Amino acid sequence: MRELTYDEAAVEAVAEEMRRDPKIFYLSTDPIPPLLREFGPERIRATPIAESAMTGMGIGAAGCGFRPIVDWRQVTFCFVAMDQIVNQAAKIHYMFGGQARFPLLFRATVCGGGRVAAQHSQSPYSMFMNVAGLKMFLASTPYDIKGLIKTAIRDNNPVISFESSRLLRLKGPVPEEDYTIPLGLADIKREGSDVTVVALAWLVHEALAAAEELAKEGISVEVIDPRSLVPLDAGTIRDSVKKTGRLVIADEAGPTAGFSAEVAAVATEDGATFARLKAPVKRVCALPVPIPYSPVLENHVFPDRKRILAGIREVLREGPAQAA
Amino acid sequence: MSLSPQGRSAASPATNLPPETQREMLRQMLTIRLFEERASADYRAGKIYGVVHCYIGEEGVAVGVCSALGPQDRIISTHRGHGHCIAKGADLPRMMAELYGRQTGYCKGKGGSMHIADFSIGMLGANGIVAGGIPIVTGAGLAAQMEGKGGVAVSFFGDGASNAGPFHECLNIAASWKLPMVYVCENNLYAAQTAAAATHALPDVAARAAGYGIPGEVVDGNDIFAVHQAAHRAVDRARSGGGPSLIECKTYRWRAHTERKGQPDYREQAEIEAWKGRDPIARLERQLREESALDDAELQSMERQITAAIEAAVAFAEASPFPLPEQATDDVFAA
């Protein structure tokens, strides 16, 4: 199968949908050249650096029958549009009794590792998960991002595509034919029986590397990529934990009230899953600090395969299973 | 035209609107006023919940502007939104049922007074966040431009919103892209309790239009013909591809910021009384009488009809069921 980068797969998803549906247009402070070349400046619009305006304009055009894509570029820039995201986009369908639809895709890169310091290294998806009325996903592969973006563009609600800046150049197989991936469906990236690792984005790849290493020791690690954050596929996570009895959650965001906390709750508030846990749930997250610039500092803040390995070993050591 | 700080206006511009149209303008303004007087009374009686913001005194703006629009044109409103809904043609029973929190309301009881919308008539919603609606309706202007059918979008907002970022972001983008927009600032001289005089660098919001290279006009918001004519010019310009305009309507709210009991109101009584003397409704009545286009019997008949329509709206609301508790989880997402 041919290979595309994560970034190319995302752009291809947008282009294919724009060819299919003339109601789709794109607002961005910085148009993507291949899209601009193919669709022209009427549909690939260069906006002023005015995120509040461009986000709200997306909402308004969506309510008038269009299917806008609003590209915030980096998630950090959307914070100046928080009123439009939280007070308007998330609530407008519900607050008006469902009388109009607001099909709208927001795009934003997240994650760190780029040595660009605190304002440009953020993974704030849990802030948005906390807002009822928004759907969102964070893909880990070119195949997944293409299928998820196509689904999101066809969805009749505001959907945020969080995209890992660490993975933009990652290559992977992407079929030529049309396909979509439903929101709310996790992917088991590696099957295993001793411990479940739920990971997002770059940390999916780090978890797979950790699993490979542990396989040499006879330890079988299951790696689950939820892909979709809202809705979250609780069933797949619980089924895996029921099977392995151990759960490690790896997230590039900080732990506090984060995605990792939500996954821990999904596992532990379900009686049947809780009953099978053999060890406390372990979270492997960024340290709770703004992300620093110097490589020595930044590397220390983020989790990686070594910390995932240590987390897995910790849950394997703990609990009654050790005595068995 | 510019107004003195006391808001004294020049004589009303001559109008060639047919008497029928003028009587319809009066009917709509009276409907807004009587609807809100009833809503206020029912709010104080505990039949309407939360918060109600009355538009009484400012009716000339909504009706003057919306009478220059067609059914294909779209508007967005503010937290003080009943007047815009009625002027755009919203259904009184469904409005009242929404205020009453009933299943039959415009928003099925999810929105209340601050969040009434009717997308089928191009009313994109009242909005509880000052300046929050401006970007959304600018998106409706972009949609109208892309649709290419001559539609126009109108943003109603207050003097308070004119100091917020989205106002400036949107005027710039609308001017750059020549969007078919009309920005209507209802300058009622107070942002909640705070006097515009204390928070605006310049007394006239319309002067800011110059910064975006678009027409800006101050009009007497209590003179419905002045508002209508300014709106008409701006709508024509927008429809013909000339781009956006900013109209500032100097007006005044007669009531406190909200209808909440004990709501502080620091405005001087003399100021309030002076503005009541510039009532847009009494003014149109007077003009219609002077032109022999309205007599006592006609006015009384109009008032009776409006009162009956509002009574019917209240009866509809009271007879309507409350939502079922479990409907709280409906419509979080569209199918």
Side-chain angles (χ1 to χ4, degrees):
Chain A
M1 198 185 292
R2 68 168 181 160
E3 294 209 325
L4 292 180
T5 66
Y6 185 89
D7 194 28
E8 287 164 348
V11 171
E12 186 172 274
V14 170
E16 286 180 10
E17 292 303 295
M18 287 189 71
R19 278 174 218 138
R20 192 184 53 75
D21 186 347
K23 290 288 187 186
I24 300 168
F25 70 94
Y26 204 100
L27 294 175
S28 168
T29 55
D30 232 344
I32 297 170
L35 293 178
L36 184 59
R37 273 197 301 276
E38 178 171 355
F39 299 103
E42 289 295 306
R43 292 182 73 193
I44 305 295
R45 287 182 170 254
T47 70
I49 301 172
E51 283 81 4
S52 187
M54 68 192 270
T55 302
M57 288 173 71
I59 299 167
C64 295
F66 285 85
R67 304 186 84 86
I69 299 171
V70 175
D71 191 341
W72 296 317
R73 312 296 285 171
Q74 300 182 27
V75 74
T76 191
F77 305 138
C78 87
F79 292 152
V80 297
M82 280 304 252
D83 171 56
Q84 292 300 321
I85 303 164
V86 177
N87 282 322
Q88 314 295 342
K91 298 173 174 52
I92 195 164
H93 177 72
Y94 183 88
M95 203 167 67
F96 294 145
Q99 61 177 285
R101 290 171 170 176
F102 297 87
L104 191 54
L105 173 68
F106 297 118
R107 296 185 66 195
T109 59
V110 293
C111 300
R115 319 308 186 201
V116 285
Q119 289 178 338
H120 294 72
S121 312
Q122 306 201 61
S123 299
Y125 24 84
S126 68
M127 285 171 57
F128 297 91
M129 290 171 71
N130 194 252
V131 178
L134 298 172
K135 297 183 183 182
M136 63 204 72
F137 60 88
L138 172 52
S140 67
T141 67
Y143 177 85
D144 285 352
I145 197 168
K146 182 174 175 189
L148 286 162
I149 283 184
K150 288 177 72 112
T151 297
I153 291 173
R154 297 178 194 185
D155 197 285
N156 285 320
N157 296 281
V159 184
I160 306 174
S161 172
F162 291 114
E163 302 172 16
S164 171
S165 55
R166 293 185 194 260
L167 299 177
L168 297 178
R169 303 286 163 261
L170 175 81
K171 279 199 154 187
V174 178
E176 310 248 3
E177 60 271 22
D178 184 46
Y179 69 95
T180 59
I181 297 170
L183 295 170
L185 185 67
D187 189 34
I188 301 172
K189 296 292 188 196
R190 180 189 176 107
E191 291 200 21
S193 54
D194 295 326
V195 58
T196 299
V197 178
V198 174
L200 287 175
W202 172 63
L203 290 176
V204 170
H205 303 277
E206 292 296 286
L208 288 170
E212 197 61 41
E213 194 155 331
L214 287 167
K216 296 175 198 155
E217 302 172 26
I219 297 166
S220 170
V221 178
E222 179 145 300
V223 178
I224 293 183
D225 177 2
R227 303 191 291 199
S228 167
L229 307 174
V230 179
L232 181 62
D233 182 357
T236 296
I237 294 168
R238 286 172 179 158
D239 287 348
S240 176
V241 176
K242 278 189 259 189
K243 179 174 72 177
T244 64
R246 293 180 167 88
L247 174 60
V248 173
I249 308 154
D251 183 13
E252 212 180 312
T256 311
F259 163 80
S260 61
E262 182 65 20
V263 173
V266 157
T268 55
E269 72 184 1
D270 175 60
T273 309
F274 183 72
R276 303 280 190 88
L277 274 174
K278 299 170 187 166
V281 173
K282 176 69 186 174
R283 293 193 287 163
V284 179
C285 299
L287 303 180
V289 296
I291 304 306
Y293 160 69
S294 173
V296 173
L297 298 173
E298 185 177 35
N299 293 349
H300 177 69
V301 166
F302 282 123
D304 58 8
R305 69 185 70 181
K306 282 185 194 159
R307 284 192 203 165
I308 294 171
L309 263 173
I312 293 170
R313 291 191 196 284
E314 191 179 318
V315 299
L316 286 167
R317 267 198 312 276
E318 288 192 55
Q322 196 182 11
Chain B
M1 174 192 125
S2 193
L3 298 180
S4 72
Q6 288 75 36
R8 226 175 68 79
S9 60
S12 188
T15 175
N16 52 7
L17 290 169
E20 266 315 301
T21 306
Q22 298 184 38
R23 280 197 292 267
E24 175 58 19
M25 288 171 150
L26 179 65
R27 194 190 62 76
Q28 288 187 19
M29 287 200 292
L30 267 172
T31 304
I32 295 168
R33 180 157 304 176
L34 296 176
F35 180 92
E36 288 204 324
E37 283 176 354
R38 182 60 190 259
S40 173
D42 288 2
Y43 174 75
R44 282 158 196 244
K47 295 177 182 176
I48 293 172
Y49 316 97
V51 67
V52 168
H53 300 84
C54 281
Y55 192 66
I56 291 173
E58 307 182 29
E59 298 92 339
V61 181
V63 177
V65 171
C66 289
S67 57
L69 299 177
Q72 79 282 11
D73 299 322
R74 299 178 176 113
I75 66 168
I76 212 159
S77 177
T78 68
H79 55 286
R80 202 174 300 288
H82 307 144
H84 309 120
C85 289
I86 292 171
K88 194 69 173 74
D91 182 54
L92 297 183
R94 293 180 69 196
M95 281 182 69
M96 196 59 92
E98 187 58 36
L99 267 58
Y100 270 66
R102 306 301 166 111
Q103 223 178 65
T104 54
Y106 262 116
C107 311
K108 303 179 192 166
K110 299 263 175 60
S113 166
M114 256 189 300
H115 305 299
I116 298 180
D118 184 349
F119 281 70
S120 71
I121 59 166
M123 165 53 194
L124 307 188
N127 202 305
I129 306 298
V130 167
I134 301 176
I136 298 173
V137 76
T138 303
L142 175 59
Q145 188 184 60
M146 291 192 297
E147 285 163 350
K149 295 174 186 164
V152 168
V154 177
S155 183
F156 289 102
F157 56 94
D159 45 287
S162 75
N163 291 331
F167 166 82
H168 298 279
E169 290 188 15
C170 289
L171 257 65
N172 176 62
I173 202 164
S176 308
W177 293 0
K178 285 199 178 318
L179 297 183
M181 290 295 308
V182 181
Y183 294 94
V184 179
C185 178
E186 301 177 325
N187 187 349
N188 65 16
L189 310 184
Y190 290 86
Q193 318 296 349
T194 302
T199 51
H200 289 241
L202 295 172
D204 291 340
V205 171
R208 299 176 185 190
Y212 303 105
I214 63 172
E217 187 174 358
V218 178
V219 300
D220 177 353
N222 288 13
D223 180 341
I224 192 164
F225 297 132
V227 173
H228 175 84
Q229 288 174 1
H232 211 277
R233 283 190 292 275
V235 168
D236 276 353
R237 176 180 146 85
R239 242 191 254 301
S240 61
S245 305
L246 172 61
I247 300 171
E248 177 185 9
C249 300
K250 303 277 194 193
T251 185
Y252 199 79
R253 74 174 140 74
W254 289 12
R255 309 189 64 96
H257 173 54
T258 78
E259 295 302 292
R260 199 184 292 275
K261 208 177 162 198
Q263 167 80 49
D265 189 351
Y266 305 113
R267 300 173 306 172
E268 305 235 347
Q269 199 55 41
E271 180 184 273
I272 297 171
E273 292 307 320
W275 275 95
K276 284 185 176 176
R278 293 193 281 273
D279 180 2
I281 293 177
R283 187 161 172 175
L284 179 56
E285 270 179 33
R286 198 164 54 239
Q287 283 177 250
L288 285 169
R289 283 172 194 278
E290 282 165 11
E291 293 160 20
S292 303
L294 185 77
D295 60 27
D296 283 347
E298 283 169 324
L299 181 61
Q300 280 163 15
S301 160
M302 184 187 283
E303 283 176 352
R304 270 198 307 276
Q305 282 172 19
I306 294 168
T307 303
I310 289 165
E311 286 301 327
V314 170
F316 173 79
E318 285 188 325
S320 294
F322 279 101
L324 302 172
E326 54 270 29
Q327 287 175 326
T329 56
D330 291 350
D331 292 325
V332 176
F333 292 112

